[in-house]
Every structure is written in C-alpha cells, then in structure tokens.
Amino acid sequence: MSDEPKTLDPAAATRPAPTPEHPAPAAPEGTRAPRWTLGLVSVGLVLAALNLRPAITSLGALLEEVSADLHMSGTVAGVLTSVPPLCFAIFGITAPRLARRFGPAAVVCAGMAAVFTGLLLRPFATGTAAFLAASALALMGIAVSNVLMPVIVKRYFPDRIGSMTGLYSMALALGTSLAAALTVPVTDALGGDWRLGLGVWAVIAALAVLPWLPLVRDRAGTARTEPGAPAGGTAAETSAAPAAQAAPRPMFRSRTAWALACFFGLQATGAYITMGWMPQIFRDAGVPASTAGVLLAVTMVMGVPLAFVIPRLATRMRHQGPIVVALGTCGLVGYTGLLLAPAGGAWVWAVLLGVSNCSFPLALTMIGMRSRTGAGVVRLSAFAQSVGYLISIPGPLLVGVLYQHSGGWGVPIALMGGLMIPQMIVGTLAGRDRTVEDES
C-alpha cells in the first residue's frame, strides 16, 4: 500500500476514472522490477547513504590536528571546509548526462568506488595539495551519488518516495554522526595518528560498492526517463506525452526550481559550516576535543529519526512551508545559544542545530515532489543541488576568514544565525503545491 498522498501525482486528477473501455493504467515500471532487484537497490541506497558524509565529518573532528600537521592557516582550513560543496556543484551537474549514458546504478557504483579510493589515498598525503586532491576524488563520487539518490528512488520506488527517501536520509544521518563521534576515539586507540583515524572510513566505503555491482548493467532510468517520458508511465501515457515535454523548458526559467536551489544552498551552507567548524567552536570554548566530537555527533544523530519522519510528513502536506519555518526557528535558537553560552548549554545547542540540519532530507523530498516525471526529477535534482552547492561554497570559507581576522566566534556565529532568515523565506516558496512542469 502506498504511503504517499494522492497529491503527489498531479496528473492523476486529469485522468478519467477506470471503466471497461478505459481500464486503469498498469503499475509503474519501478514496481514491476524483480523483488531481488528492489532488495539490492534498498541495501545499496542504505550503504551508499552511510558513506555520503564521513569523508567530511571525520575531517571536522580532526581538523585541528590535520591543519597543524599540514601547516594550514585558518583561511586555508576554511578553503578545505569549502571543498565539499565546490565538488558537489561541479561534479553533481554531470550526473544526469552520466546517468543517461551508463544508467544511474552504474554511476552510483562508480561514485562509491571513487569515495573508497579517495578515502584510502587521503591518509598518505604529505602536503595540502595532495590532501585536497584525494578529498576531491572522494567528494566527486559523493557528488554524483547525491544527485542520483532521488532519481533512483523515483525510478524503483515511485509509490514509496517518502519512506525510501526517509530510509536513505536516516542512513546518511547515521553515517554522518558515527564519523563525528568515533573518529577521535578510534584515532586515540590507533596511537593518536590522524592518518589512521581518517583511513579507517575507507573500509565502510568499500562495502558500499558491492551491492551496486550486480546492478551496473541495469539501464533502468535511462531511456525510459528521457525528457518527455513519465517516470513509471505506461506506453500509452508515454506516447501521449505532450510534444512540449520532448524539449522541456530550462530549469533556470522555473521560479520553483530557483526557490528550491536557494533553499538547498542555504541549508547546505549551515550544514557544512556545522560539520566543519562546530567542533572547533566548542573546543575554543573550553570543551575537550573528545566531547566536542560527541557534540557534533549529537547534532548529526538528530537526523536519524527525523530524516525518516520528516519526508513522510512532508509528502502528506500540500505545502511544506510550516516544516521549513519550524526547522529554521530551531536553527535560530541554536545559533543564539551558541553565541551567548557555547559551553554552558552545549548539549541543548547541539540538539537544536541537529534538528535544523534536517532541512536536508526535506529538500530531497521536495525535489521528488516538485516534478511529475522521472526525467524532471533528474533535471531538477541536478539543478537544485548543483546551484545550491555553488551558493553554499562561500559560507565555510567566510567563517574561517572571519574567525581568523575577528579573533573570535561572535561574528561568524551571527552570520550563521542570520542566514536562517532567507532560508525560511525561500524554503516556504519552494514548498508550495506546484511542479516545475506547471511553470513550463
């Protein structure tokens, strides 16, 4: 039984009621996939999601040690925290083209292999340039996988977008929090060498490659999701698609696409500032390094239950604006507390910022809801995530510069809190009950 509301398929309202002359359409193609394939895709989604953030949060926990060993200034460290969104923006835009040519499963498989290789090579870096290059390789794999996660869900689980998005969002949050919490203790257990502490995450990345190997030849989501072919639609629906859909309107002409891209970018700004700098904020406030890592883990682990609940709730609402405002308000309160009493209320601020960071699974869910077709989701996902990550690039870098030149965290934290206002505005616009096709 579907867990999605009827409003998820706007075209359904225009279809005639089933009659003997006009029977109901066949089940979506994604639901006709063999059961073993759906099971393998589910396992692959979870393992891939577990590896979409440890490359970043494991570094955040050891940023001070890495910076000292590689002789990085505060500005260079800020550049390092800006590399993830830069790579996501650059390489994420290539995901639709790669998926059309090789199939989304094959591209995700290659992405996980790149993550494994980058994490394996990073500990051997002897300078900043080599460290950045190895990190960029891992982040390149994460970038294409980021974009294709909603696409794979739409293709294989068209009637369970909310629950499957929640599943892999929950796994993503779990991987993020585990890397934040365990990196310092594991490093200490291995003799205090940050290289070993970062290198252990390559093992989990290797496991994420395996489920996708049998799916490499599955070209589902390529030709059938080319522009003009409704995702999971019947042959009759495909042939009846309007000619205008064969040459879809560019995403940059859609107000909804821009609102969603800006929302994605602002929430990513907050997330990467948090992952890159929050442990250092707590450490500068007198919190021990191990505790600072656990506090980051608390922030990240809030996404485990909420990443499953929020997408399901969002798909049952005609307008996701109230969720956007609620999450933004938690962020405002959390940053205010971090500014006024960083050590005294550290656990409370960590929880509130963790709730605020759940704007990410909400954004992914809205990507799946703001287009009627699989092809539309591919294009919207690539546009929203690539433009969004471009928007987020200056944030972590600016925080590093402000921290170095202002001599404290007051100005950077005020900036973080101030960004929550435009995030709530554009998120409310992106949450309106419409699709990008409506604007074409």
Side-chain angles (χ1 to χ4, degrees):
M1 180 176 177
S2 171
D3 61 3
E4 304 303 325
K6 295 179 180 178
T7 55
L8 274 184
D9 185 8
T14 65
R15 294 179 189 141
T19 66
E21 294 78 17
H22 300 89
E29 287 183 40
T31 62
R32 294 200 301 269
R35 183 171 297 181
W36 71 267
T37 300
L38 296 181
L40 206 56
V41 172
S42 299
V43 173
L45 281 171
V46 170
L47 288 177
L50 283 171
N51 286 277
L52 291 180
R53 293 298 178 270
I56 303 166
T57 51
S58 61
L59 176 60
L62 295 173
L63 184 59
E64 184 173 309
E65 288 76 8
V66 174
S67 299
D69 194 20
L70 298 181
H71 308 292
M72 298 181 188
S73 66
T75 301
V76 174
V79 171
L80 186 60
T81 59
S82 294
V83 168
L86 176 62
C87 289
F88 293 168
I90 293 174
F91 297 111
I93 199 68
T94 67
R97 184 184 298 271
L98 293 172
R100 286 195 299 270
R101 180 164 183 175
F102 302 106
V107 177
V108 173
C109 183
M112 290 298 102
V115 173
F116 163 69
T117 305
L119 292 182
L120 185 65
L121 293 177
R122 190 162 66 172
F124 296 99
T126 56
T128 302
F131 189 88
L132 286 172
S135 297
L137 178 60
L139 294 167
M140 177 178 66
I142 295 173
V144 294
S145 301
N146 266 336
V147 171
L148 294 179
M149 291 290 106
V151 177
I152 288 176
V153 168
K154 182 85 168 183
R155 173 61 185 87
Y156 289 96
F157 307 97
D159 59 338
R160 289 186 283 161
I161 293 176
S163 58
M164 293 307 297
T165 299
L167 178 65
Y168 82 74
S169 297
M170 185 169 62
L172 188 152
L174 181 61
T176 305
S177 58
L178 286 176
L182 299 180
T183 297
V184 171
V186 168
T187 301
D188 292 340
L190 295 175
D193 188 346
W194 65 263
R195 299 177 185 274
L196 294 177
L198 293 183
V200 296
W201 297 104
V203 177
I204 300 178
L207 296 177
V209 179
L210 302 179
W212 297 100
L213 291 174
L215 299 169
V216 166
R217 293 184 179 275
D218 185 359
R219 302 300 296 275
T222 53
R224 284 188 292 272
T225 56
E226 286 296 318
T234 63
E237 289 173 320
T238 302
S239 62
Q245 289 188 351
R249 189 182 188 187
M251 282 292 164
F252 66 82
R253 294 185 179 180
S254 166
R255 293 181 180 179
T256 297
W258 274 109
L260 192 50
C262 292
F263 176 63
F264 196 97
L266 289 170
Q267 67 80 28
T269 299
Y272 287 107
I273 289 174
T274 299
M275 286 187 281
W277 290 110
M278 199 172 85
Q280 192 64 49
I281 293 174
F282 285 126
R283 290 177 72 167
D284 287 351
V287 177
S290 58
T291 304
V294 174
L295 285 166
L296 178 60
V298 168
T299 299
M300 299 298 111
V301 83
M302 292 304 299
V304 176
L306 292 179
F308 190 72
V309 172
I310 289 176
R312 294 171 66 90
L313 177 62
T315 56
R316 285 165 168 74
M317 299 175 65
R318 294 183 63 86
H319 194 310
Q320 289 76 46
I323 305 178
V324 171
V325 173
L327 296 178
T329 301
C330 288
L332 276 174
V333 176
Y335 284 124
T336 301
L338 202 59
L339 179 64
L340 299 178
W347 297 98
V348 177
W349 318 139
V351 169
L352 288 172
L353 291 175
V355 174
S356 178
N357 281 349
C358 287
S359 296
F360 176 73
L362 176 61
L364 291 180
T365 305
M366 289 197 290
I367 288 174
M369 297 176 67
R370 296 287 89 89
S371 178
R372 294 183 183 137
T373 69
V377 173
V378 174
R379 295 169 55 243
L380 180 57
S381 181
F383 178 81
Q385 294 200 46
S386 295
V387 173
Y389 283 125
L390 280 174
I391 292 172
S392 71
I393 289 170
L397 174 60
L398 183 58
V399 166
V401 172
L402 291 175
Y403 170 58
Q404 182 173 354
H405 292 283
S406 68
W409 285 108
V411 176
I413 293 175
L415 171 67
M416 299 177 209
L419 290 176
M420 300 307 301
I421 302 299
Q423 178 177 318
M424 286 189 281
I425 294 172
V426 294
T428 300
L429 294 175
R432 294 176 296 175
D433 184 21
R434 62 182 62 191
T435 65
V436 291
E437 289 84 2
D438 294 334
E439 299 173 340
S440 299

